[in-house]
Amino acid sequence: MRAVEIVRPGGPEQLTVREVPDPSPGPGEVLVDVTAAGVNRADLLQRQGHYPPPPGAPAWPGLEASGTVAALGDGVEGWTVGDRVAALVAGGAYAERLVVPSGQLLRVPDALDLVDAAGLPEAVCTAWSNLTGPGRLAPGERVLVHGGSGGIGSVAIQLVAAYGAWAATTAGGPERTARCLELGADLAVDHRSDDFVAAVRDATDGHGADVVLDVIGAGYLARNVEVLADEGRLVMIGMQQGRRAELDLGAVMTRRLTVTGTTLRSRTREAKAAIVADVATRAWPWLDDGRLRPVIGARLPLDEAAHAHELVESGNVFGKVLLLP
Ligand SMILES: NC(=O)c1ccc[n+]([C@@H]2O[C@H](COP(=O)([O-])OP(=O)(O)OC[C@H]3O[C@@H](n4cnc5c(N)ncnc54)[C@H](OP(=O)(O)O)[C@@H]3O)[C@@H](O)[C@H]2O)c1
């Protein structure tokens, strides 16, 4: 089969398509014919040599895909050859075929475009597990999602709205904030011109955010702590502006804040399966009534993986970039 190889750590030009042996499913695993793969920022780090695939994962990048079930390993139940699926994986989705632990598959509804479904698993699993897990989100609460224009944020806004919570978000520029409002955000702040702390406080009558889902990291730590309501939870899932910053422990103590974070890729198969099962039950059904839909910025052939990485790096995309083998 064809897969995208990283020739050596470096720029997008290091991505090239080559023939590799077809994978075969082991016990509890499913072979998927890939229809499309989602591009994630983690793939860019992997290409640069900063984020090696976990043991057992294929060498080529790709954390999510959509496709059809092509074969079942021993002991797999609940799936049939030909089923339309979306998959959360630890690597290897930039390829024509992919082996997936059966617990990491989600069923793609008939009405949903199978290509676009590739943009969902990583974003839905990351956003949902963090909002409802460490974020302890309850309906009616106020949430600030940073980067509502991104692959993760564009899905997180929809999940917050569908769950019956109030969603504020940040994005760069008026066109991007307008699109966030269309996705269901109640407030969209242009981070290039406006202060999100003041904007969220104003919009919530001084209450602040019960949960902040953050993809920025160190550069926003102080302001994220400032914007939290009493007993608020800051959940960090990205470090686009660095990993080290000063934390005001006085604010954490007096306002009883929680400051935490997670990474999805490093979780065990069992943990991923538990997240996928919870998503399948509580969030995935929103695809049926349109409260949740993939937000796709670009669809490119697998041969253009380098261009796909350039696009994500440029920041000039709204939503997800997909690769089609
Ligand atoms: N922890 C995990 O398990 C996990 C899983 C998946 C992804 N992630 C991480 O989450 C982050 C986002 O991933 P993604 O797929 O959504 O990436 P993406 O599609 O490239 O989006 C990046 C987002 O960051 C926003 N952004 C950049 N600078 C900002 C600023 N100063 N203030 C507010 N927003 C800003 C961008 O908004 P504008 O372009 O509109 O400015 C854009 O929406 C990445 O760092 C990724 O590695 C973590």
Side-chain angles (χ1 to χ4, degrees):
M1 68 168 186
R2 295 159 72 242
V4 174
E5 185 195 38
I6 301 168
V7 179
R8 64 181 68 85
E13 73 288 350
Q14 296 299 336
L15 298 176
T16 182
V17 172
R18 72 174 183 106
E19 288 287 328
V20 300
D22 271 39
S24 66
E29 294 177 335
V30 169
L31 181 68
V32 172
D33 276 335
V34 175
T35 301
V39 176
N40 284 278
R41 280 191 175 258
D43 310 340
L44 278 52
L45 293 175
Q46 180 172 340
R47 189 203 70 219
Q48 291 161 350
H50 302 315
Y51 199 1
W60 42 97
L63 300 176
E64 60 186 340
S66 61
T68 47
V69 171
L72 305 175
D74 287 345
V76 172
E77 288 174 9
W79 299 100
T80 310
V81 170
D83 280 349
R84 290 155 41 96
V85 292
L88 176 75
V89 289
Y94 290 16
E96 290 177 316
R97 295 207 174 79
L98 175 66
V99 160
V100 187
S102 61
Q104 291 167 224
L105 289 174
L106 289 150
R107 202 171 293 280
V108 175
D110 289 341
L112 183 64
D113 184 311
L114 191 56
V115 169
D116 291 358
L120 288 170
E122 176 76 13
V124 179
C125 291
T126 300
W128 182 253
S129 64
N130 281 287
L131 288 167
T132 59
R136 308 194 297 277
L137 178 62
E141 286 194 315
R142 289 83 180 272
V143 183
L144 170 60
V145 170
H146 283 303
S149 45
I152 301 287
S154 57
V155 158
I157 291 171
Q158 299 179 68
L159 293 174
V160 172
Y163 197 47
W166 181 90
T169 193
T170 51
E175 269 176 40
R176 293 165 81 80
T177 52
R179 291 192 64 182
C180 292
L181 294 173
E182 285 166 22
L183 286 173
D186 297 282
L187 171 73
V189 183
D190 182 351
H191 64 76
R192 296 186 189 158
S193 56
D194 295 323
D195 170 21
F196 67 81
V197 178
V200 170
R201 284 243 182 87
D202 279 357
T204 58
D205 298 325
H207 177 82
D210 300 297
V211 181
V212 175
L213 185 66
D214 177 58
V215 292
I216 301 300
Y220 271 7
L221 182 64
R223 278 187 288 160
N224 281 338
V225 166
E226 199 183 339
V227 81
L228 282 176
D230 286 357
E231 311 214 343
R233 291 82 71 190
L234 166 59
V235 187
M236 285 169 287
I237 57 166
M239 299 184 290
Q240 293 181 85
Q241 287 186 11
R243 59 188 298 160
R244 288 179 202 280
E246 229 170 66
L247 175 64
D248 179 352
L249 297 177
V252 172
M253 290 160 66
T254 54
R255 286 160 46 219
R256 304 173 302 286
L257 308 178
T258 302
V259 177
T260 182
T262 72
T263 60
L264 182 57
R265 190 186 197 182
S266 61
R267 306 294 289 277
T268 61
R269 277 189 181 196
E270 293 71 25
K272 284 185 183 137
I275 289 169
V276 167
D278 187 46
V279 161
T281 315
R282 298 205 289 158
W284 210 247
W286 290 325
L287 288 167
D288 295 328
D289 62 15
R291 280 191 277 178
L292 173 63
R293 55 187 197 275
V295 182
I296 309 302
R299 301 168 187 81
L300 297 168
L302 197 62
D303 301 299
E304 292 183 30
H307 180 43
H309 276 211
E310 282 163 2
L311 260 182
V312 172
E313 254 156 9
S314 76
N316 293 327
V317 191
F318 192 102
K320 280 273 178 176
V321 175
L322 303 182
L323 283 172
L324 283 62

